[in-house]
């Protein structure tokens, strides 16, 4: 048991010291792939959770594929549940993508809700969104068609 606790503390220490802005998407995907659900739960607490979520959502703007979006105009609300709920909104319009932390009064065209582990696996390319939806690990409210096509709008890394 002590070895597991030391390994967990070492993992958290390494991740806390990591500058996620400099981690390549493929490296992030490999990192997430190597984590158990328990390890993800430990990572996704406190300030480290905030740091990871901000890094992931800030990348969405850079990984956006405007040619795939065409004339799409949509507000996508992400609700990531855990100890607390984190909400981010992704606005796609005029060939651009903008991310905002927090909930606005605007009506989202689609809302995606999932737990921390499911979110990290989804955005790192380590989970199949259709399977997640069918097993209720990913909940979609609003335009399910838009939600099902989101993966083509972003360069999603492969582990």
């Amino acid at each position: 048991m002590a070895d597991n606790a030391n390994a967990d503390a070492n993992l958290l220490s390494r991740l806390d010291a990591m500058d996620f802005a400099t981690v390549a998407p493929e490296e992030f995907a490999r990192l997430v792939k190597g984590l158990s659900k328990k390890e993800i739960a430990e990572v996704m607490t406190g300030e480290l959770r905030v740091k990871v979520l901000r890094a992931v959502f800030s990348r969405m703007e850079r990984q956006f594929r405007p040619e795939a979006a065409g004339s799409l105009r949509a507000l996508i609300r992400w609700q990531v549940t855990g100890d607390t709920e984190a909400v981010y909104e992704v606005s796609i319009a005029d060939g651009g993508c903008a991310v905002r932390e927090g909930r606005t009064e605007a009506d989202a065209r689609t809302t995606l809700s999932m737990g921390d582990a499911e979110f990290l696996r989804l955005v790192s390319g380590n989970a199949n969104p259709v399977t997640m939806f069918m097993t209720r690990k990913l909940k979609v409210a609003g335009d399910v068609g838009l939600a099902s096509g989101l993966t083509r709008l972003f360069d999603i890394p492969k582990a």
Side-chain angles (χ1 to χ4, degrees), residues 128-139:
N128 180 313
V130 174
T131 301
M132 289 177 64
F133 178 75
M134 298 302 284
T135 58
R136 309 233 356 109
K137 292 180 179 177
L138 165 64
K139 295 176 181 76

Side-chain angles (χ1 to χ4, degrees), residues 89-141:
E89 293 182 343
V90 176
S91 178
I92 297 171
D94 303 321
C97 172
V99 176
R100 179 185 183 287
E101 187 174 350
R103 180 186 311 268
T104 63
E105 294 299 316
D107 289 331
R109 185 156 156 194
T110 193
T111 299
L112 307 170
S113 301
M114 70 207 79
D116 288 327
E118 292 77 18
F119 172 75
L120 287 183
R121 288 196 173 108
L122 179 67
V123 299
S124 66
N126 287 300
N128 180 313
V130 174
T131 301
M132 289 177 64
F133 178 75
M134 298 302 284
T135 58
R136 309 233 356 109
K137 292 180 179 177
L138 165 64
K139 295 176 181 76
V140 178

Side-chain angles (χ1 to χ4, degrees), residues 9 18 20 25 34 51 79 83 85 96 119 128 130-131 147:
M18 189 178 285
F20 287 99
K51 189 171 151 180
Q79 295 175 174
D83 289 340
E85 182 179 84
F119 172 75
N128 180 313
V130 174
T131 301

Side-chain angles (χ1 to χ4, degrees), residues 17-135:
M18 189 178 285
D19 179 5
F20 287 99
T22 64
V23 175
E26 296 76 18
E27 183 181 345
F28 181 74
R30 281 190 299 279
L31 178 67
V32 171
K33 186 175 188 173
L35 296 175
S36 69
K37 190 167 184 170
K38 179 182 179 247
E39 289 170 324
I40 290 175
E42 291 171 7
V43 167
M44 296 299 279
T45 58
E47 280 303 308
L48 184 53
R49 179 179 192 251
V50 171
K51 189 171 151 180
V52 169
L53 289 174
R54 284 183 179 156
V56 168
F57 280 102
S58 72
R59 284 186 181 182
M60 283 188 180
E61 293 176 353
R62 294 190 306 273
Q63 291 179 244
F64 179 66
R65 298 176 56 222
E67 70 282 359
S71 61
L72 176 66
R73 297 182 68 78
L75 177 68
I76 299 113
R77 184 170 293 132
W78 294 76
Q79 295 175 174
V80 183
T81 60
D83 289 340
T84 61
E85 182 179 84
V87 176
Y88 284 80
E89 293 182 343
V90 176
S91 178
I92 297 171
D94 303 321
C97 172
V99 176
R100 179 185 183 287
E101 187 174 350
R103 180 186 311 268
T104 63
E105 294 299 316
D107 289 331
R109 185 156 156 194
T110 193
T111 299
L112 307 170
S113 301
M114 70 207 79
D116 288 327
E118 292 77 18
F119 172 75
L120 287 183
R121 288 196 173 108
L122 179 67
V123 299
S124 66
N126 287 300
N128 180 313
V130 174
T131 301
M132 289 177 64
F133 178 75
M134 298 302 284
T135 58

